[in-house]
């Protein structure tokens, strides 16, 4: 069997198993195990793959951002800061249909500046924003869709784990990659806000929600009291990263500690609810990291099959021009985005395209932004859309199905695609800030 | 002609110097040798950049047979490959990658310790590679003497954190290569220990425009190994070709590392950096202030029943013969103890 | 199912659940410890210029502990990520087929967990004998064997819980509240 055949067959098998209802990490793991067994006719090699993929995937320092920012998000919402900031934001955007959706996007853009992963954004905001939107009678699909869509900002606006991975693969300066991510990230946030405005205007049924009545309005003093704690938190977490006191992991830990203090001072937490928060954090972390681990097992299986090498050969034999290279890149990333995690996509696809991009004299910084944004669309697309899974897992609410999350996220994935096309067409959007 | 499949693995991307040269030098050289007789032909599958293993996973990947040939980054495996730390444990001797690569590789071939360590990991040692000429100190503010490092925070990784132990109040802060730019930019650290090529690649000059040329020394970090089961099935002719080319590859990448170091220092200056030489007295003072980590290293091996002290003596002897006099005689202290 | 067999399963279920909940509690302490250790390092480094050089290893170590100590409880309460739209549909249309299907899926999952356990037992033995460590000697080191042991135990316990899902048709255990 050729590597390409193995790749295609394994993808089909995974999609089928996931569709049948098999747990996703198990589907990825089992298919990888069996694929190696068939391909190399060696049970030992299948075990070897299991050992190496499971053994070192969880042992990643930066993964600690997942429990830490998850915990911070949970404790902050337990402390009532989520409800507070949303009531304030909703009041700010009260005159617009979908206003709190826009507020969620804005808040996510701010939060993106303190987290390196979309995973953290998704879990924090599904706990904070979704219940608030449901309370204001928004359509559940729209509510989860906004959170899924805007969670992507977490990995585009710096700091970003994906930009760091790219800068390593492509040997670009981390600092430049971070700078280059600023404008595209803000652009995407603005595009989301515009999209919500359009949806509110033309498909109000999809958005839902009610306007805040006059008697709901709170005085400035109350707004101040309600926003102050989260501002302190953001300043400390953001400030920690930008002044260099802390790495993202440490910022997450410091934020968690301050979250605990705020919750305690406001008497919004007792030992029991604290304990529940930590257990919740553990469950989310375990589910997510087991998934990432299984995805890495699958990516390595493809590597052993030689799929990346085969793709490279195919690319080398065909003489593409810029337009078709980009079409191919985006199509490949969108396709892989349906089944692989963002990091794996970047690690697999970027090396295939780097020589081409380099030889055409294009900027590798710009290419990094394009690659990361393209790969991140996969966070929102079924059947494997990490952000959507996390939202589903974090909410743990039977009324909202995974299908609802995916359908809600779809318009936002489409907006991302439009922004991606702009970023490809106008490299200056990514590069201007560098010069 | 018999075709033999070989899966080559490394967790680093194809653009990394030593990986690139594996593709552009090692593989064609082996092919060329085999073509001379025409008995065998290799079918190479090169899987780099995390497609099969991460950088820390190459040793295990080759051990388990996920790759047939691997470029093991040995500095990650202090526990399984203790003797590989030989050059890291002997700073201030030589900043010449060629000399260090040759000396370490000869030690590996003259003493069984290194090969046995790899044999225990189910793999066969081919040769040692040195890809960085020397660690230097890159700083935000000008640094001229050792005292300028006192009481400051220095980013480092692995053994080089121990080089700071003799400096009053200096604290080592651990970080990955990709973090260093940010660590310095944000003020998390005041200095970073890096080699010039990495400094230039990551444009460190933008945030740390002062390089203190301390010449802490070249460090061996890469070893080419072959899965033992795979090796035993290889025809002698192929084994011979691999062994020969591995040694040429060793000298080839060390040579490139030295050329790149020179270019990188120039690039650093072009990017706006200033290079300050550390005086001979200051280098001596720094070396003397350190704990004798070479002695610790040798003793650790001696206690394990390996000839650590002898290896240290032989290694320094080889470098002396090549014209590199240690700033501090690590081995002499070993002898008196 | 005979009454006697049922009561045996209930007993096993009770024991396995208690172990999973206990592991979950330990994992939960690790989350708290993670927050504490990282904050300690920030303060020690920032204020006293004395960073804790083992922070990276401790963080890596605790990530493994968190994931694998919590995983059995995640399996127990049925929160492992899945896309169950089709399964739900089948269950609704014909509960018998749906039940059989979900038993088969849990069986596959159990087998995969057994594979992980079988893969990691020799790893644990090897690390126990060699006392291998990770980290840099003289800076900070931590032994490998607890990592391998935790993965082995976790996978074994997950396998037991999947087996229980198969035996009970996956209904009874999931209703229980998560380890509080
Ligand atoms: Na971010
Ligand atoms: Na997807």
């Amino acid at each position: 069997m050729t590597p390409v055949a193995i790749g295609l067959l394994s993808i089909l098998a995974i999609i089928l198993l996931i569709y049948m209802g098999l747990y996703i990490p198990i589907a990825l793991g089992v298919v990888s195990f069996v694929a190696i067994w068939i391909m190399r006719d060696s049970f030992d090699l299948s075990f070897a793959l299991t050992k190496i993929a499971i053994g070192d995937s969880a042992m990643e320092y930066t993964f600690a951002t997942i429990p830490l920012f998850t915990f911070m998000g949970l404790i902050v919402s337990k402390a009532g800061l989520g409800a507070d900031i949303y009531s304030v934001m909703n009041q700010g955007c009260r005159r617009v249909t979908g206003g709190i959706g826009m507020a969620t996007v804005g808040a996510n853009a701010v939060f993106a500046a303190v987290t390196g992963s979309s995973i953290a954004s998704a879990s924090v905001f599904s706990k904070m924003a979704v219940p608030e939107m449901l309370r204001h009678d928004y359509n559940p699909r729209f509510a989860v869709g906004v959170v899924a869509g805007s969670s992507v900002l977490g990995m585009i606006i710096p700091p970003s784990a994906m930009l760091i991975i790219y800068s390593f693969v492509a040997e670009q300066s981390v600092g430049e990659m971070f700078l280059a991510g600023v404008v595209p990230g803000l652009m995407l946030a603005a595009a989301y806000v515009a999209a919500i405005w359009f949806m509110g205007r033309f498909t109000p049924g999809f958005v839902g929600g009610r306007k805040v009545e006059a008697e709901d309005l709170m005085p400035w003093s109350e707004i101040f009291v309600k926003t102050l704690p989260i501002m302190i938190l953001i300043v400390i977490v953001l400030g920690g990263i930008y002044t260099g006191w802390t790495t993202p992991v440490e910022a997450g830990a410091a934020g968690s500690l301050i979250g605990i203090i705020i919750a305690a001072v406001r008497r919004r937490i007792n030992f029991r609810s604290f304990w529940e928060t930590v257990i919740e954090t553990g469950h989310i972390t375990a589910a997510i990291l087991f998934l990432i681990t299984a995805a890495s097992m699958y990516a390595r299986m493809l590597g052993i099959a030689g799929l990346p090498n085969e793709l490279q050969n195919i690319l080398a034999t065909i003489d593409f021009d810029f337009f078709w290279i980009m079409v191919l890149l985006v199509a490949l990333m969108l396709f892989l985005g349906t089944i692989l995690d963002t990091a794996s996509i970047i690690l697999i696809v970027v090396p295939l395209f780097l020589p081409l991009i380099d030889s055409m004299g294009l900027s590798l910084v710009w290419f990094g932004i394009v690659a990361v944004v393209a790969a991140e669309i996969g966070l929102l697309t079924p059947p494997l859309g990490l952000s959507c899974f996390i939202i589903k897992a974090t909410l743990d609410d039977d009324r909202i199905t995974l299908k609802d999350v995916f359908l809600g996220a779809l318009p936002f994935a489409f907006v991302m695609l439009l922004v991606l096309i702009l970023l490809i067409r106008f490299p200056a959007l990514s590069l201007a800030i560098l010069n | 002609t018999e075709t033999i499949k070989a899966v080559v693995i490394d967790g680093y991307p194809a653009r990394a110097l030593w990986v690139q040269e594996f593709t552009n030098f090692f593989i064609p050289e082996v092919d060329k040798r085999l073509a001379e007789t025409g008995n065998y032909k290799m079918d190479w599958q090169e899987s780099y950049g995390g497609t099969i293993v991460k950088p820390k996973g190459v040793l295990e990947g080759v051990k388990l047979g996920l790759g047939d040939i691997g470029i093991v980054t040995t500095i990650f495996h202090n526990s399984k490959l203790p003797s590989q730390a030989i050059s890291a444990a002997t700073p201030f001797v030589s900043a010449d990658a060629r000399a260090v690569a040759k000396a370490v590789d000869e030690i590996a071939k003259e003493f069984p310790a290194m090969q046995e360590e790899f044999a225990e990991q189910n793999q066969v040692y081919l040769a040692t590679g040195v890809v960085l000429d020397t660690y230097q100190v890159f700083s935000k503010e000008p640094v001229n003497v050792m005292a300028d490092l006192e009481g400051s925070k220095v980013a480092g990784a692995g053994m080089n954190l121990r080089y700071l132990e003799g400096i009053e109040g200096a604290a080592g802060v651990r970080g990955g290569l990709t973090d260093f730019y940010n660590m310095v930019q944000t003020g998390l650290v005041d200095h970073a220990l890096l080699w010039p090529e990495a400094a230039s690649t990551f444009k460190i000059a933008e945030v740390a425009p002062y390089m203190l040329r301390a010449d802490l020394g070249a460090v061996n970090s890469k070893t080419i190994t072959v899965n033992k089961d795979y090796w035993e099935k290889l025809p002698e002719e192929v084994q011979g070709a691999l062994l020969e080319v591995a040694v040429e590859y060793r000298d080839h990448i060390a040579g490139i590392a030295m050329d790149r170091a020179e270019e990188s220092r120039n690039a650093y200056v072009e990017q706006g950096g200033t290079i300050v030489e550390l005086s001979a007295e200051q280098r001596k003072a720094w070396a003397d202030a350190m704990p004798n980590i070479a002695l610790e290293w040798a003793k650790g091996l001696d206690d394990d029943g390996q000839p650590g002290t002898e290896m240290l003596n032989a290694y320094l002897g080889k470098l002396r013969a090549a014209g590199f006099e240690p700033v501090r005689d690590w081995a002499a202290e070993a002898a008196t103890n | 199912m005979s009454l006697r067999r049922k009561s045996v399963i209930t007993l096993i279920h009770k024991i396995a659940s208690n172990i999973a909940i206990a592991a979950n509690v330990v994992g939960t302490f690790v989350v708290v410890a993670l927050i504490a250790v990282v904050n300690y390092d920030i303060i020690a480094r920032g204020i006293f210029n004395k960073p804790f050089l083992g922070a990276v290893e401790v963080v890596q170590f605790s990530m493994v502990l968190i994931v694998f100590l919590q995983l059995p409880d995640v399996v127990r309460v049925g929160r492992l990520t899945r896309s169950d739209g089709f399964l739900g549909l089948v269950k609704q249309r014909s509960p018998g087929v749906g039940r059989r299907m979900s038993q088969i899926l849990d069986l596959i999952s159990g087998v995969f967990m057994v594979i992980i356990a079988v893969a990691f037992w020799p790893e644990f033995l090897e690390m126990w004998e060699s006392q291998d460590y990770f980290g840099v000697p003289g800076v900070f080191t931590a032994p490998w064997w607890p990592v391998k042991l935790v993965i082995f135990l976790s996978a074994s316990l997950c396998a037991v819980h999947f087996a229980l899902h198969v035996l009970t048709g996956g209904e009874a255990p999931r209703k229980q509240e998560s380890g509080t």
Side-chain angles (χ1 to χ4, degrees):
Chain A
M1 226 188 306
T2 67
V4 175
I6 290 165
L8 290 176
L9 272 179
S10 65
I11 286 163
L12 278 177
I14 285 169
I15 291 174
L16 189 73
L17 288 172
I18 290 175
Y19 189 70
M20 297 278 288
L22 186 58
Y23 305 95
I24 290 153
I26 305 281
L28 289 164
V30 167
V31 169
S32 312
F33 190 90
V34 174
I36 291 290
W37 188 9
I38 294 174
M39 196 162 59
R40 292 290 189 87
D41 195 22
S42 157
F43 214 52
D44 287 347
L45 213 57
S46 295
F47 271 102
L49 175 69
T50 311
K51 278 180 196 175
I52 214 159
I54 298 202
D56 67 28
S57 286
M59 291 203 81
E60 195 72 58
Y61 176 76
T62 48
F63 284 166
T65 48
I66 295 167
L68 293 172
F69 281 116
T70 303
F71 178 81
M72 180 179 130
L74 294 174
I75 197 88
V76 156
S77 63
K78 273 253 155 65
L81 295 196
D84 285 356
I85 197 77
Y86 275 92
S87 60
V88 171
M89 283 188 173
N90 202 26
Q91 182 169 324
C93 304
R94 67 188 179 278
R95 287 180 224 286
V96 218
T97 320
I100 201 165
M102 297 175 188
T104 304
V105 173
N108 242 307
V110 174
F111 190 71
V114 298
T115 177
S117 97
S118 299
I119 290 159
S121 300
S123 52
V124 167
F125 279 86
S126 42
K127 271 286 173 206
M128 241 161 47
V130 175
E132 284 304 303
M133 280 193 265
L134 295 186
R135 209 163 61 81
H136 289 100
D137 295 336
Y138 277 82
N139 180 347
R141 279 190 186 168
F142 173 78
V144 288
V146 169
V147 173
S150 52
S151 73
V152 171
L153 296 171
M155 287 216 234
I156 296 171
I157 294 175
S160 153
M162 291 308 135
L163 290 175
I164 291 174
I165 289 178
Y166 176 84
S167 60
F168 184 65
V169 178
E171 289 188 3
Q172 296 302 300
S173 137
V174 178
E176 284 191 7
M177 287 311 303
F178 277 6
L179 276 178
V182 173
V183 173
L186 294 177
M187 224 174 91
L188 184 60
Y192 281 158
V193 170
I196 293 170
W197 186 84
F198 271 104
M199 287 184 237
R201 186 80 196 267
F202 299 104
T203 58
F206 175 72
V207 176
R210 66 181 148 83
K211 295 212 167 111
V212 180
E213 301 300 330
E215 58 264 32
D216 289 355
L217 286 180
M218 53 187 129
W220 280 108
S221 59
E222 197 183 338
I223 291 179
F224 178 75
V225 170
K226 283 189 167 177
T227 46
L228 186 66
I230 203 164
M231 285 306 154
I232 291 174
L233 190 68
I234 287 171
V235 165
I236 287 174
V237 173
L238 257 177
I241 293 176
Y242 286 111
T243 60
W245 263 63
T246 57
T247 66
V249 169
E250 292 162 351
S256 298
L257 184 64
I258 291 153
I260 295 171
I261 294 169
I262 292 174
V265 167
R266 299 179 119 205
R267 297 178 191 282
R268 298 290 280 272
I269 193 163
N270 54 29
F271 181 75
R272 193 186 159 79
S273 59
F274 171 75
W275 190 246
E276 279 168 8
T277 309
V278 188
I279 283 183
E280 179 80 9
T281 305
H283 275 179
I284 293 171
T285 307
I288 293 168
L289 281 184
F290 192 55
L291 182 67
I292 291 177
T293 302
S296 121
M297 183 167 168
Y298 177 61
R300 291 160 194 249
M301 183 277 288
L302 292 179
I304 294 170
L307 186 69
N309 311 64
E310 197 60 33
L311 284 177
Q312 202 157 21
N313 292 341
I314 293 170
L315 282 179
T317 52
I318 311 170
D319 204 15
F320 286 118
D321 62 4
F322 174 77
F323 178 77
W324 288 107
I325 287 178
M326 284 300 134
V327 170
L328 190 72
L329 173 83
V330 173
L332 190 63
M333 290 233 165
L334 290 183
F335 174 67
L336 288 178
T338 61
I339 48 159
L340 291 183
D341 65 290
T342 315
S344 301
I345 298 171
I346 292 172
L347 285 167
I348 290 171
V349 177
V350 166
L352 300 176
F353 281 84
L354 275 182
L356 275 175
I357 301 297
D358 211 11
S359 66
M360 292 172 87
L362 298 164
S363 156
L364 289 182
V365 172
W366 160 81
F367 180 66
I369 298 296
V370 168
V372 168
V373 174
E376 300 260 309
I377 296 177
L379 288 168
L380 305 180
T381 56
L384 198 153
L386 218 46
S387 271
C388 295
F389 287 163
I390 286 147
I391 289 164
K392 170 68 183 137
T394 314
L395 281 178
D396 197 27
D397 179 342
D398 291 337
R399 288 169 302 173
I400 297 175
T401 64
L402 192 59
K403 191 175 150 199
D404 289 326
V405 184
F406 277 125
L407 282 175
L410 213 57
F412 295 92
F414 182 69
V415 172
M416 267 187 99
L417 187 61
L418 294 181
V419 169
L420 176 64
I421 292 169
L422 283 179
L423 292 175
I424 292 174
R425 179 67 189 78
F426 303 105
L429 291 171
S430 311
L431 301 175
I433 203 167
L434 294 176
N435 306 325
Chain B
T1 306
E2 189 189 326
T3 303
I4 300 167
K5 172 138 185 148
V7 178
V8 185
I9 56 170
D10 193 355
Y12 287 97
R15 303 185 125 242
L17 162 69
W18 60 95
V19 183
Q20 216 171 357
E21 292 311 315
F22 199 94
T23 306
N24 297 337
F25 180 84
F26 192 103
I27 289 177
E29 281 297 315
V30 171
D31 287 345
K32 207 163 80 191
R33 259 154 240 249
L34 295 179
E36 280 166 18
T37 63
N39 295 328
Y40 305 101
K41 191 178 177 311
M42 302 299 282
D43 170 20
W44 302 95
Q45 176 187 324
E46 297 175 80
S47 294
Y48 307 130
T51 51
I52 295 183
V53 288
K54 293 181 188 174
K56 287 181 188 169
V58 181
L59 184 69
E60 205 185 354
V62 174
K63 174 187 173 187
L64 297 173
L66 293 178
D68 302 318
I69 301 178
I71 310 174
V72 177
T73 300
T74 49
I75 44 175
F76 294 136
H77 307 285
N78 290 302
S79 149
K80 295 188 181 79
L81 310 171
S83 68
Q84 284 283 327
I86 189 164
S87 62
T90 49
F92 295 110
V93 180
S94 167
D96 189 320
R98 291 163 298 213
V100 169
K102 189 159 178 290
V104 176
D105 194 37
E106 284 174 9
I107 293 291
K109 282 160 185 169
E110 287 162 23
F111 294 83
M114 282 191 192
Q115 305 204 36
E116 273 169 16
E117 286 166 10
F118 282 103
E120 246 172 71
Q121 301 301 316
N122 193 36
Q123 44 207 292
V124 175
Y125 173 101
L126 292 190
T128 289
V130 174
V131 294
L132 61 96
D133 63 324
T134 175
Y135 284 105
Q136 309 284 21
V137 185
F138 291 85
S139 310
K140 247 185 151 88
E141 306 292 332
V143 169
N144 300 308
V145 291
M146 211 176 109
D148 292 340
L149 294 173
E150 284 174 8
S152 67
K153 288 195 269 282
V154 187
M159 281 289 262
N160 67 30
L161 287 170
R162 301 212 59 197
Y163 302 170
L164 304 168
E165 277 176 28
I167 300 170
E168 183 71 32
V173 178
R174 296 178 43 170
L177 195 52
T178 49
D179 308 327
F180 281 15
Y181 183 100
N182 254 30
M183 290 170 88
V184 179
Q185 184 183 36
T186 56
L188 183 67
V189 294
D190 312 295
H191 320 276
L193 293 177
L194 277 173
W195 62 100
E197 196 225 337
S200 157
T201 303
F202 291 101
K203 302 198 170 66
I204 294 293
E206 294 170 6
V207 291
Y210 298 95
M211 178 186 118
L212 180 65
R213 193 165 180 171
D215 283 351
L216 290 158
V219 175
N220 62 297
S221 57
K222 308 287 166 190
T223 297
I224 309 284
T225 70
V226 183
N227 176 280
K228 209 160 145 195
D229 310 315
Y230 177 83
W231 178 260
E232 279 159 9
K233 282 186 218 137
L234 284 178
E236 232 170 88
E237 187 185 333
V238 178
Q239 289 180 343
L242 288 173
L243 279 168
E244 262 179 54
V245 173
V247 172
E248 286 182 17
Y249 169 83
R250 172 197 89 192
D251 294 335
H252 177 76
I253 53 167
I256 294 182
M258 292 308 286
D259 297 342
R260 289 253 185 121
E262 170 80 45
E263 288 163 22
S264 303
R265 279 192 300 270
N266 297 337
Y268 177 78
V269 173
E270 273 165 35
Q271 286 165 8
T274 310
I275 299 179
V276 185
E277 296 275 341
L278 186 65
S279 69
E281 306 83 70
Q282 282 287 317
R283 284 184 80 221
K284 175 109 180 71
W286 188 343
D288 287 341
M290 273 177 58
N292 192 335
I293 54 175
L295 182 66
E296 276 175 38
W297 171 84
K299 210 171 159 312
L301 285 173
D302 289 344
D303 293 347
D304 259 0
Q306 299 292 346
T309 309
E310 283 170 54
M311 281 163 78
L312 178 62
N313 279 321
Y315 173 72
L316 292 176
K318 282 176 191 298
L319 286 177
R320 263 204 194 93
F324 300 98
E325 190 58 35
V327 170
R328 171 175 167 188
D329 196 347
W330 307 104
E333 294 166 46
T336 58
N337 277 311
Chain C
M1 208 183 284
S2 77
L3 214 65
R4 193 180 155 72
R5 197 180 146 202
K6 209 162 193 170
S7 71
V8 170
I9 291 174
T10 312
L11 182 70
I12 295 174
H13 180 250
K14 204 170 168 190
I15 296 171
S17 294
N18 284 335
I19 298 175
I21 291 169
N24 188 50
V25 168
V26 178
T28 303
F29 275 115
V30 179
V31 175
V32 178
L34 174 68
I35 297 172
V37 165
V38 178
N39 275 296
Y40 168 80
D41 180 41
I42 300 170
I43 293 166
R45 182 187 63 214
I47 300 176
F48 303 104
N49 209 20
K50 286 234 177 325
F52 170 45
L53 286 174
V56 174
E57 275 85 12
V58 171
V59 167
Q60 287 180 314
F61 209 96
S62 50
M63 287 312 293
V64 176
L65 291 181
I66 292 169
V67 173
F68 288 97
L69 285 171
Q70 307 266 357
L71 198 59
D73 203 49
V74 174
V75 170
R76 184 182 69 85
V77 300
R79 273 185 77 175
L80 209 54
T81 332
R82 80 192 311 185
S83 174
D84 51 5
F86 179 70
L87 188 63
L89 204 71
V90 174
K91 274 182 175 163
Q92 212 173 23
R93 289 274 167 82
S94 100
V97 176
R99 199 181 139 94
R100 196 34 56 90
M101 226 176 103
S102 97
Q103 280 175 321
I104 292 171
L105 294 174
D106 279 325
L107 182 68
I108 295 174
S109 310
V111 169
F112 185 64
M113 288 300 173
V114 170
I115 287 172
I116 297 178
V118 170
F120 274 84
W121 177 247
E123 291 273 292
F124 161 67
L125 286 183
E126 197 185 324
M127 294 302 162
W128 176 259
E129 311 236 306
S130 63
Q131 290 293 317
D132 266 343
Y133 56 81
F134 59 104
V136 183
V139 180
F140 187 87
T141 58
W144 268 113
W145 66 262
V147 171
K148 310 288 180 184
L149 182 64
V150 162
I151 297 177
F152 166 76
L153 292 175
S154 171
S156 306
L157 194 53
C158 288
V160 170
H161 278 281
F162 279 123
L164 286 166
H165 286 345
V166 174
L167 291 175
T168 60
E171 274 120 35
R174 299 185 190 186
K175 297 287 173 277
Q176 219 168 311
E177 251 311 290
S178 120
T180 41

